[in-house]
Amino acid sequence: EETEKAAHLAELIGQYLQYIVRTRETFAPLQDELRHAGAYAQIQKLRFGERIHVIFPQADEKVAALFVPRLTLQPLIENAFEHGVKNKASGGIVSVKLQTSEEFLDLVVEDNGDRLTEEALSHLQEQLTRQAVDGDPASGIALSNIHRRIQIAFGAPCGLTVDRSPLGGLRCTARIRMGGKHEQAAVGG
């Protein structure tokens, strides 16, 4: 059994690293971004075992080929594991959802962590708002970097928002515009 787990882990790490080293590409089809983020989530699932449950979506045809900024989803999932559920002895949940409207695709990552204080949430929200208003990279945290990359590619009101998840932890929503500007950026990116 351990040999099978090790082989599976090696395969996942290979997929994960292969996606990361493609440095020339700024955008990727959502299906590729989901595959990469899924490999990361599976690695974490092997790490945490039965302590953590991961809910992961399948993209429908409408959005599977949509170009999104590379390495958007995986850092949000990493944030949920590292700051939300890693210290839970059992019952941890990391949920990834795709929500679409005519104009937007929302990549939603949330957790049921119990360590998010109202102060910490307000601080995160302030950093993202400050960056949107004055272009301040907000101390370079991963969430701010994702927010900035999305806004550069798609403009307002796209970007990252954070709030409290109905699960109790943090909910991060990366809003991406459907069609238009990102298609041109992906071709030229």
Side-chain angles (χ1 to χ4, degrees), residues 25-81:
E25 300 168 5
T26 305
F27 289 82
L30 177 61
Q31 62 195 8
D32 291 354
E33 184 73 5
L34 284 169
R35 191 174 306 118
H36 168 70
Y40 176 81
Q42 287 181 43
I43 291 167
Q44 293 296 355
K45 181 71 177 134
L46 288 171
R47 174 184 172 198
F48 289 104
E50 296 303 314
R51 292 176 29 207
I52 309 294
H53 179 67
V54 179
I55 303 166
F56 211 82
Q58 294 290 324
D60 64 29
E61 289 180 24
K62 177 182 175 184
V63 296
L66 179 71
F67 279 85
V68 299
R70 283 182 75 248
L71 300 172
T72 295
L73 192 53
Q74 179 270 322
L76 298 179
I77 295 169
E78 181 178 352
N79 188 72
F81 274 103

Side-chain angles (χ1 to χ4, degrees), residues 45 50-54 85 88-94 111-113:
K45 181 71 177 134
E50 296 303 314
R51 292 176 29 207
I52 309 294
H53 179 67
V54 179
V85 298
K88 288 183 101 39
S90 65
I93 298 171
V94 174
D111 64 71
N112 71 337

